[in-house]
Amino acid sequence: MKSLTLFTCLLLFCSISHSQEMAEDSAGSKIGITFSSFGKNDLIRSEDLIGDASYSGDQFFTVGLTYLHPINKWLFFESGIEYSKHTIVIDPNLPPDIDSEPYKSDFSLINIPLALRANFLRYFFINGGLLIDIDASKESAIDSQTGFGGLLGIGANYDFKCGASIFVNPYIKSHALLPFSAEDNHQRLWESGVRIGLTYNLNRK
């Protein structure tokens, strides 16, 4: 609900600003900063393990640098680097005489997206592609998330005349689809949230 409210408010902002002049050179390369949260993070397995603890997502945030390079007037290559911190709740499956209270555990990821962003209807875009995941945790209660993942999103973007742009980007990410480790029934992080970004056009004259 929070994600939907934020997305709606930013779309309303774009609609109110419709009469403002768009930057003539908005198709240039862009660099910027991003923040992601306002969603869910869950751990999934292909099969449940008998006697294993249960894992549920609690909260997360991601900060990053993004780079957009135009391929043509409506298609961009999107990359950058992101750092995220995730908190999960672990509910141990232990005998009644042993303390089995749920507890929280943190782990960190570094993500490098290699994606395409396709613009449509002037203000909107869809984006998707590959994620290079690096598990940055020294110790973690879950399987390593280092490997290849994927992302898919839809968003709204507004270009200001000064060369700056703001965007909002609801997305889903699946981490460690192809993990580098060879563990059976590997845990994979599934993440959905909203990414907010501020970029600047490097070709601004």
Side-chain angles (χ1 to χ4, degrees):
M1 181 61 69
K2 291 182 180 179
S3 300
L4 180 60
T5 301
L6 180 63
F7 184 55
T8 303
C9 288
L10 285 171
L11 285 181
L12 180 61
F13 168 77
C14 287
S15 297
I16 294 174
S17 305
H18 180 78
S19 60
Q20 298 183 19
E21 181 180 356
M22 301 287 286
E24 294 180 359
D25 54 352
S26 60
S29 296
K30 300 178 181 181
I31 191 170
I33 56 175
T34 62
F35 174 79
S36 307
S37 191
F38 318 111
K40 294 183 178 181
N41 54 337
D42 290 311
L43 289 169
I44 60 172
R45 294 184 187 269
S46 57
E47 296 179 5
D48 292 332
L49 298 179
I50 298 175
D52 189 25
S54 63
Y55 301 82
S56 58
D58 183 57
Q59 60 185 356
F60 74 94
F61 72 88
T62 302
V63 292
L65 297 174
T66 189
Y67 175 72
L68 294 164
H69 181 76
I71 297 174
N72 55 39
K73 291 184 178 180
W74 58 271
L75 186 65
F76 283 78
F77 170 71
E78 183 175 7
S79 188
I81 187 168
E82 299 176 329
Y83 169 82
S84 60
K85 183 176 181 180
H86 293 262
T87 301
I88 58 171
V89 178
I90 303 174
D91 189 1
N93 185 5
L94 297 174
D97 57 337
I98 300 178
D99 184 16
S100 59
E101 288 293 320
Y103 62 95
K104 294 183 178 181
S105 179
D106 297 332
F107 64 95
S108 301
L109 296 178
I110 295 174
N111 304 320
I112 301 174
L114 301 173
L116 293 176
R117 177 191 286 200
N119 298 326
F120 66 97
L121 295 180
R122 190 174 187 181
Y123 293 116
F124 302 99
F125 65 86
I126 56 173
N127 60 328
L130 180 70
L131 278 178
I132 300 175
D133 293 314
I134 302 172
D135 197 318
S137 305
K138 293 183 179 179
E139 295 182 1
S140 179
I142 70 166
D143 297 338
S144 172
Q145 297 300 295
T146 299
F148 294 108
L151 69 93
L152 181 65
I154 188 169
N157 179 85
Y158 184 80
D159 297 313
F160 295 96
K161 188 176 180 180
C162 65
S165 301
I166 186 172
F167 70 84
V168 58
N169 182 201
Y171 67 86
I172 55 174
K173 291 180 180 178
S174 183
H175 301 274
L177 284 175
L178 294 174
F180 288 173
S181 56
E183 300 178 23
D184 293 333
N185 205 11
H186 198 96
Q187 290 173 317
R188 292 173 171 84
L189 178 66
W190 178 270
E191 174 189 336
S192 62
V194 176
R195 184 172 65 132
I196 300 170
L198 179 66
T199 62
Y200 184 77
N201 194 329
L202 298 175
N203 292 14
R204 176 69 181 173
K205 298 178 181 180

